[in-house]
Amino acid sequence: MCIIEENYNAIMDNSLMQLINNILQKRWLSHVLFWITLLVFYTLAMQGSYGSIYKSFSRNAILLLPQILASYYIVYFLHPTFLYKKKYILFGILFLIGTYVFSVLARVLVVYVIEGLYREPPFMQESFLEIAMNVKRLYREFFYQVYLPVFLVVSIKLLKERFEEKSRRQLLEKEKVMAELNFMRAQIHPHFLFNTLNNLYVLTLQKSDKASETVLKLSEMLDYMLYKCNDKTVSISEEIQLIQNYIDLEQLRYGNRLELVFNKDIDNSQMQIAPLILVSLIENAFKHGASGTVDIPKIEIE
Protein backbone atom coordinates (compact mmCIF):
# COMPACT_ATOMS: atom_id res chain seq x y z
CA MET A 1 0.00 0.00 0.00
CA CYS A 2 2.87 2.37 0.81
CA ILE A 3 4.43 1.78 -2.62
CA ILE A 4 1.09 2.37 -4.34
CA GLU A 5 0.54 5.56 -2.34
CA GLU A 6 4.06 6.83 -3.15
CA ASN A 7 3.56 6.10 -6.84
CA TYR A 8 0.20 7.87 -6.76
CA ASN A 9 1.72 10.93 -5.07
CA ALA A 10 4.56 10.99 -7.58
CA ILE A 11 2.10 10.81 -10.49
CA MET A 12 0.00 13.61 -8.98
CA ASP A 13 3.09 15.79 -8.41
CA ASN A 14 4.25 15.26 -11.98
CA SER A 15 0.77 16.01 -13.32
CA LEU A 16 0.59 19.20 -11.25
CA MET A 17 4.02 20.36 -12.42
CA GLN A 18 3.09 19.58 -16.02
CA LEU A 19 -0.14 21.55 -15.64
CA ILE A 20 1.73 24.55 -14.17
CA ASN A 21 4.31 24.44 -16.96
CA ASN A 22 1.57 24.31 -19.59
CA ILE A 23 -0.15 27.31 -18.02
CA LEU A 24 3.08 29.33 -17.86
CA GLN A 25 3.88 28.52 -21.48
CA LYS A 26 0.48 29.86 -22.57
CA ARG A 27 0.71 33.53 -21.66
CA TRP A 28 -2.93 34.35 -22.30
CA LEU A 29 -4.06 31.54 -20.00
CA SER A 30 -1.79 32.67 -17.16
CA HIS A 31 -3.14 36.22 -17.55
CA VAL A 32 -6.76 35.01 -17.44
CA LEU A 33 -6.09 32.93 -14.33
CA PHE A 34 -4.37 35.89 -12.65
CA TRP A 35 -7.33 38.23 -13.17
CA ILE A 36 -9.84 35.56 -12.14
CA THR A 37 -7.85 34.95 -8.94
CA LEU A 38 -7.71 38.67 -8.25
CA LEU A 39 -11.46 39.01 -8.83
CA VAL A 40 -12.21 36.15 -6.41
CA PHE A 41 -9.90 37.69 -3.79
CA TYR A 42 -11.47 41.16 -4.04
CA THR A 43 -14.97 39.69 -4.05
CA LEU A 44 -14.41 37.76 -0.82
CA ALA A 45 -12.42 40.56 0.84
CA MET A 46 -15.10 43.24 0.14
CA GLN A 47 -18.18 41.13 0.71
CA GLY A 48 -18.86 42.81 4.05
CA SER A 49 -18.51 46.33 2.61
CA TYR A 50 -21.15 45.82 -0.09
CA GLY A 51 -23.64 43.71 1.89
CA SER A 52 -23.63 40.61 -0.31
CA ILE A 53 -21.23 38.52 -2.30
CA TYR A 54 -23.25 39.22 -5.48
CA LYS A 55 -22.84 42.99 -5.14
CA SER A 56 -19.17 42.61 -4.30
CA PHE A 57 -18.61 40.35 -7.32
CA SER A 58 -20.52 42.63 -9.70
CA ARG A 59 -18.67 45.78 -8.65
CA ASN A 60 -15.22 44.20 -8.78
CA ALA A 61 -15.93 42.44 -12.07
CA ILE A 62 -16.91 45.75 -13.71
CA LEU A 63 -13.87 47.52 -12.25
CA LEU A 64 -11.61 44.88 -13.81
CA LEU A 65 -11.87 46.78 -17.12
CA PRO A 66 -9.95 49.91 -16.01
CA GLN A 67 -7.58 47.78 -13.92
CA ILE A 68 -6.68 45.58 -16.89
CA LEU A 69 -6.37 48.53 -19.28
CA ALA A 70 -4.18 50.49 -16.84
CA SER A 71 -1.95 47.47 -16.20
CA TYR A 72 -1.30 46.70 -19.85
CA TYR A 73 -0.94 50.41 -20.65
CA ILE A 74 2.05 50.53 -18.29
CA VAL A 75 3.49 47.06 -18.93
CA TYR A 76 3.25 46.94 -22.72
CA PHE A 77 3.40 50.63 -23.68
CA LEU A 78 4.95 52.94 -21.08
CA HIS A 79 7.61 50.57 -19.79
CA PRO A 80 9.14 49.36 -23.09
CA THR A 81 8.62 52.62 -24.98
CA PHE A 82 9.71 55.18 -22.39
CA LEU A 83 10.98 53.74 -19.09
CA TYR A 84 13.18 51.08 -20.69
CA LYS A 85 14.67 53.72 -23.03
CA LYS A 86 15.24 56.08 -20.06
CA LYS A 87 12.75 58.71 -21.26
CA TYR A 88 11.73 59.41 -17.70
CA ILE A 89 9.98 62.78 -18.20
CA LEU A 90 7.69 61.47 -20.94
CA PHE A 91 7.06 58.35 -18.87
CA GLY A 92 6.04 60.45 -15.85
CA ILE A 93 3.74 62.71 -17.90
CA LEU A 94 1.99 59.83 -19.65
CA PHE A 95 1.73 57.90 -16.39
CA LEU A 96 -0.08 60.82 -14.72
CA ILE A 97 -2.39 61.20 -17.72
CA GLY A 98 -3.14 57.48 -17.51
CA THR A 99 -4.00 57.64 -13.82
CA TYR A 100 -6.53 60.40 -14.56
CA VAL A 101 -8.08 58.68 -17.60
CA PHE A 102 -8.51 55.29 -15.92
CA SER A 103 -9.83 56.84 -12.70
CA VAL A 104 -12.45 58.68 -14.80
CA LEU A 105 -13.32 55.39 -16.52
CA ALA A 106 -13.74 53.66 -13.17
CA ARG A 107 -16.02 56.43 -11.87
CA VAL A 108 -18.09 56.38 -15.09
CA LEU A 109 -18.58 52.62 -14.75
CA VAL A 110 -19.67 53.00 -11.12
CA VAL A 111 -22.16 55.78 -11.90
CA TYR A 112 -23.66 54.47 -15.13
CA VAL A 113 -23.37 50.69 -14.65
CA ILE A 114 -22.94 49.63 -11.01
CA GLU A 115 -25.33 52.16 -9.44
CA GLY A 116 -27.90 51.32 -12.09
CA LEU A 117 -27.89 47.72 -10.86
CA TYR A 118 -28.68 48.46 -7.21
CA ARG A 119 -30.29 51.88 -6.84
CA GLU A 120 -34.03 52.26 -7.14
CA PRO A 121 -35.04 54.71 -9.90
CA PRO A 122 -35.46 57.56 -10.21
CA PHE A 123 -32.11 58.87 -8.94
CA MET A 124 -29.72 61.63 -9.93
CA GLN A 125 -26.56 60.76 -11.84
CA GLU A 126 -23.47 62.86 -12.31
CA SER A 127 -22.80 63.95 -15.85
CA PHE A 128 -19.60 62.93 -17.56
CA LEU A 129 -18.32 66.50 -17.28
CA GLU A 130 -19.01 66.58 -13.53
CA ILE A 131 -17.16 63.32 -13.12
CA ALA A 132 -14.18 64.54 -15.16
CA MET A 133 -13.94 67.87 -13.32
CA ASN A 134 -14.04 66.39 -9.81
CA VAL A 135 -10.32 65.50 -9.81
CA LYS A 136 -10.02 65.41 -6.03
CA ARG A 137 -12.71 62.76 -5.69
CA LEU A 138 -11.28 60.75 -8.57
CA TYR A 139 -7.88 60.39 -6.89
CA ARG A 140 -9.30 60.05 -3.37
CA GLU A 141 -11.76 57.24 -4.14
CA PHE A 142 -10.83 55.60 -7.44
CA PHE A 143 -7.08 55.88 -7.92
CA TYR A 144 -6.24 53.23 -5.35
CA GLN A 145 -9.12 50.98 -6.51
CA VAL A 146 -7.69 50.92 -10.00
CA TYR A 147 -3.97 51.04 -9.31
CA LEU A 148 -3.48 48.63 -6.41
CA PRO A 149 -3.74 45.61 -8.75
CA VAL A 150 -1.88 47.58 -11.42
CA PHE A 151 1.16 47.97 -9.15
CA LEU A 152 0.96 44.24 -8.38
CA VAL A 153 0.99 43.39 -12.11
CA VAL A 154 3.89 45.75 -12.78
CA SER A 155 5.88 44.30 -9.87
CA ILE A 156 5.34 40.74 -11.14
CA LYS A 157 6.35 41.82 -14.65
CA LEU A 158 9.56 43.50 -13.45
CA LEU A 159 10.49 40.51 -11.27
CA LYS A 160 9.83 38.16 -14.18
CA GLU A 161 12.02 40.25 -16.51
CA ARG A 162 14.82 40.37 -13.95
CA PHE A 163 14.64 36.60 -13.47
CA GLU A 164 14.66 36.01 -17.24
CA GLU A 165 17.58 38.39 -17.70
CA LYS A 166 19.53 36.61 -14.98
CA SER A 167 18.73 33.23 -16.56
CA ARG A 168 19.86 34.52 -19.97
CA ARG A 169 23.16 35.76 -18.52
CA GLN A 170 23.76 32.45 -16.77
CA LEU A 171 22.95 30.54 -19.96
CA LEU A 172 25.31 32.75 -21.98
CA GLU A 173 28.07 32.23 -19.41
CA LYS A 174 27.58 28.47 -19.54
CA GLU A 175 27.58 28.51 -23.35
CA LYS A 176 30.73 30.62 -23.35
CA VAL A 177 32.50 28.27 -20.94
CA MET A 178 31.40 25.22 -22.94
CA ALA A 179 32.54 26.83 -26.20
CA GLU A 180 35.94 27.62 -24.70
CA LEU A 181 36.23 24.11 -23.28
CA ASN A 182 35.21 22.49 -26.57
CA PHE A 183 37.70 24.68 -28.41
CA MET A 184 40.43 23.63 -26.02
CA ARG A 185 39.46 19.99 -26.45
CA ALA A 186 39.66 20.37 -30.21
CA GLN A 187 43.15 21.78 -29.80
CA ILE A 188 44.29 19.11 -27.35
CA HIS A 189 43.02 15.95 -29.02
CA PRO A 190 45.16 16.21 -32.17
CA HIS A 191 48.27 16.94 -30.05
CA PHE A 192 47.73 13.87 -27.91
CA LEU A 193 47.09 11.64 -30.87
CA PHE A 194 50.00 12.92 -32.93
CA ASN A 195 52.55 12.77 -30.09
CA THR A 196 51.50 9.31 -28.96
CA LEU A 197 51.47 7.85 -32.49
CA ASN A 198 54.90 9.35 -33.06
CA ASN A 199 56.13 7.62 -29.88
CA LEU A 200 54.63 4.34 -31.06
CA TYR A 201 56.29 4.75 -34.45
CA VAL A 202 59.72 5.25 -32.85
CA LEU A 203 59.28 2.22 -30.57
CA THR A 204 58.15 0.09 -33.50
CA LEU A 205 61.27 1.02 -35.48
CA GLN A 206 63.35 0.07 -32.44
CA LYS A 207 61.42 -3.23 -32.17
CA SER A 208 60.92 -2.37 -28.51
CA ASP A 209 58.91 -4.63 -26.24
CA LYS A 210 57.34 -1.47 -24.88
CA ALA A 211 55.31 -0.99 -28.08
CA SER A 212 52.45 -3.13 -26.70
CA GLU A 213 52.42 -1.09 -23.49
CA THR A 214 52.24 2.06 -25.57
CA VAL A 215 49.26 0.73 -27.51
CA LEU A 216 47.47 -0.12 -24.24
CA LYS A 217 48.04 3.34 -22.75
CA LEU A 218 47.03 4.99 -26.02
CA SER A 219 43.81 2.95 -25.98
CA GLU A 220 43.05 4.07 -22.41
CA MET A 221 43.71 7.70 -23.29
CA LEU A 222 41.51 7.63 -26.39
CA ASP A 223 38.74 5.92 -24.46
CA TYR A 224 38.90 8.68 -21.85
CA MET A 225 39.04 11.57 -24.32
CA LEU A 226 36.38 10.26 -26.70
CA TYR A 227 33.85 8.98 -24.20
CA LYS A 228 34.50 9.61 -20.50
CA CYS A 229 35.40 13.30 -20.69
CA ASN A 230 32.30 14.29 -22.66
CA ASP A 231 30.58 15.05 -19.36
CA LYS A 232 30.78 18.55 -17.93
CA THR A 233 32.92 17.32 -15.06
CA VAL A 234 35.03 14.27 -14.20
CA SER A 235 36.63 13.08 -10.99
CA ILE A 236 40.14 14.34 -10.39
CA SER A 237 41.33 10.73 -10.07
CA GLU A 238 40.37 10.10 -13.71
CA GLU A 239 42.20 13.23 -14.79
CA ILE A 240 45.27 12.17 -12.78
CA GLN A 241 45.19 8.74 -14.47
CA LEU A 242 45.15 10.44 -17.87
CA ILE A 243 48.15 12.55 -16.83
CA GLN A 244 49.95 9.44 -15.61
CA ASN A 245 49.36 7.66 -18.94
CA TYR A 246 50.56 10.71 -20.84
CA ILE A 247 53.71 11.00 -18.71
CA ASP A 248 54.45 7.27 -19.12
CA LEU A 249 54.18 7.58 -22.89
CA GLU A 250 56.46 10.60 -22.96
CA GLN A 251 58.99 8.84 -20.72
CA LEU A 252 59.00 5.94 -23.15
CA ARG A 253 59.91 8.45 -25.80
CA TYR A 254 62.62 10.32 -23.88
CA GLY A 255 64.06 7.48 -21.84
CA ASN A 256 67.03 8.62 -19.76
CA ARG A 257 67.15 11.96 -21.57
CA LEU A 258 64.47 13.33 -19.24
CA GLU A 259 64.35 13.80 -15.48
CA LEU A 260 60.74 13.85 -14.27
CA VAL A 261 59.19 14.21 -10.83
CA PHE A 262 55.43 13.68 -10.39
CA ASN A 263 54.07 14.16 -6.86
CA LYS A 264 50.39 13.75 -6.03
CA ASP A 265 48.68 14.84 -2.81
CA ILE A 266 44.91 14.68 -3.39
CA ASP A 267 42.57 15.28 -0.43
CA ASN A 268 39.46 14.10 -2.26
CA SER A 269 40.01 11.90 -5.29
CA GLN A 270 36.33 12.20 -6.28
CA MET A 271 36.32 15.99 -6.49
CA GLN A 272 34.76 17.06 -9.80
CA ILE A 273 36.68 19.27 -12.24
CA ALA A 274 36.35 20.16 -15.91
CA PRO A 275 38.04 17.49 -18.07
CA LEU A 276 41.36 18.03 -19.86
CA ILE A 277 42.18 21.19 -17.90
CA LEU A 278 45.25 19.91 -16.03
CA VAL A 279 46.66 17.72 -18.76
CA SER A 280 46.98 20.67 -21.16
CA LEU A 281 49.55 22.19 -18.79
CA ILE A 282 51.48 18.92 -18.66
CA GLU A 283 51.43 18.65 -22.44
CA ASN A 284 52.82 22.17 -22.81
CA ALA A 285 55.64 21.35 -20.37
CA PHE A 286 56.78 18.55 -22.69
CA LYS A 287 56.05 20.35 -25.92
CA HIS A 288 57.68 23.69 -25.11
CA GLY A 289 59.99 22.74 -22.23
CA ALA A 290 61.51 19.33 -22.82
CA SER A 291 61.46 18.87 -26.59
CA GLY A 292 63.67 21.88 -27.43
CA THR A 293 66.26 21.44 -24.64
CA VAL A 294 69.76 20.26 -25.55
CA ASP A 295 70.74 19.28 -22.01
CA ILE A 296 68.82 16.79 -19.92
CA PRO A 297 65.53 18.58 -19.16
CA LYS A 298 63.76 18.35 -15.82
CA ILE A 299 60.02 18.58 -15.35
CA GLU A 300 58.53 18.79 -11.86
CA ILE A 301 54.79 18.25 -11.49
CA GLU A 302 53.20 18.89 -8.13
Side-chain angles (χ1 to χ4, degrees):
M1 288 297 295
C2 291
I3 296 176
I4 295 175
E5 184 176 353
E6 289 176 0
N7 290 336
Y8 174 78
N9 292 334
I11 292 172
M12 292 300 295
D13 290 341
N14 291 334
S15 300
L16 180 60
M17 289 301 300
Q18 186 176 1
L19 177 61
I20 293 174
N21 290 331
N22 290 335
I23 292 174
L24 292 176
Q25 289 174 1
K26 296 179 180 179
R27 181 179 296 182
W28 67 269
L29 183 56
S30 61
H31 284 218
V32 169
L33 289 177
F34 171 82
W35 290 111
I36 290 176
T37 303
L38 192 68
L39 175 59
V40 171
F41 171 78
Y42 270 118
T43 299
L44 296 177
M46 297 181 179
Q47 178 181 354
S49 301
Y50 298 114
S52 71
I53 195 168
Y54 172 73
K55 289 183 178 181
S56 179
F57 174 81
S58 302
R59 181 183 179 89
N60 287 294
I62 292 171
L63 287 178
L64 273 184
L65 177 60
Q67 292 169 352
I68 292 173
L69 292 176
S71 298
Y72 294 157
Y73 171 70
I74 294 177
V75 169
Y76 294 111
F77 177 65
L78 291 186
H79 178 258
T81 307
F82 299 100
L83 187 61
Y84 183 76
K85 297 179 180 179
K86 299 182 179 180
K87 298 178 180 179
Y88 300 123
I89 296 177
L90 282 174
F91 172 81
I93 294 172
L94 292 174
F95 173 77
L96 289 175
I97 293 174
T99 60
Y100 172 75
V101 170
F102 294 118
S103 297
V104 169
L105 176 60
R107 179 59 183 160
V108 168
L109 290 174
V110 168
V111 171
Y112 289 97
V113 179
I114 297 174
E115 290 184 357
L117 294 175
Y118 307 121
R119 295 179 65 180
E120 293 292 334
F123 55 85
M124 295 293 295
Q125 287 182 315
E126 296 174 89
S127 68
F128 180 81
L129 183 60
E130 289 174 328
I131 292 173
M133 294 298 293
N134 196 348
V135 178
K136 185 176 180 180
R137 184 178 184 183
L138 288 175
Y139 280 92
R140 186 181 67 247
E141 296 184 13
F142 293 94
F143 172 78
Y144 78 92
Q145 293 185 31
V146 174
Y147 276 86
L148 276 180
V150 171
F151 292 143
L152 176 61
V153 171
V154 172
S155 299
I156 293 173
K157 177 67 174 178
L158 293 177
L159 289 174
K160 180 174 177 289
E161 288 183 351
R162 176 171 291 186
F163 176 77
E164 290 175 345
E165 179 63 25
K166 183 179 180 180
S167 299
R168 280 195 296 269
R169 285 200 302 268
Q170 291 176 344
L171 180 60
L172 288 174
E173 286 294 327
K174 289 180 181 179
E175 290 177 348
K176 179 183 177 183
V177 170
M178 288 304 300
E180 292 173 347
L181 184 57
N182 290 333
F183 177 77
M184 186 179 68
R185 285 176 178 175
Q187 299 298 312
I188 292 174
H189 289 184
H191 292 161
F192 274 126
L193 188 58
F194 175 78
N195 291 337
T196 308
L197 289 176
N198 185 58
N199 294 344
L200 181 59
Y201 173 71
V202 173
L203 292 173
T204 304
L205 289 179
Q206 296 173 351
K207 301 187 185 306
S208 172
D209 295 336
K210 295 180 179 180
S212 59
E213 182 183 351
T214 303
V215 172
L216 178 61
K217 292 185 178 295
L218 174 60
S219 175
E220 292 178 355
M221 292 171 64
L222 290 177
D223 177 65
Y224 178 83
M225 290 186 293
L226 294 176
Y227 301 106
K228 293 182 180 179
C229 73
N230 286 330
D231 296 329
K232 293 181 179 180
T233 59
V234 295
S235 66
I236 197 169
S237 61
E238 293 176 302
E239 192 79 358
I240 292 296
Q241 183 59 48
L242 176 68
I243 292 173
Q244 187 65 64
N245 285 339
Y246 180 80
I247 290 173
D248 292 343
L249 291 173
E250 289 289 6
Q251 284 184 312
L252 287 174
R253 174 187 174 191
Y254 284 94
N256 296 327
R257 295 185 295 109
L258 172 68
E259 182 181 353
L260 189 137
V261 178
F262 184 24
N263 294 322
K264 301 182 290 292
D265 184 14
I266 310 300
D267 293 330
N268 180 9
S269 62
Q270 296 305 310
M271 178 182 292
Q272 297 294 303
I273 61 172
L276 303 178
I277 294 294
L278 302 177
V279 75
S280 62
L281 303 175
I282 310 300
E283 182 193 21
N284 285 331
F286 283 97
K287 181 179 178 182
H288 302 294
S291 61
T293 304
V294 177
D295 298 330
I296 296 178
K298 180 178 182 181
I299 296 177
E300 294 186 34
I301 304 169
E302 189 78 26

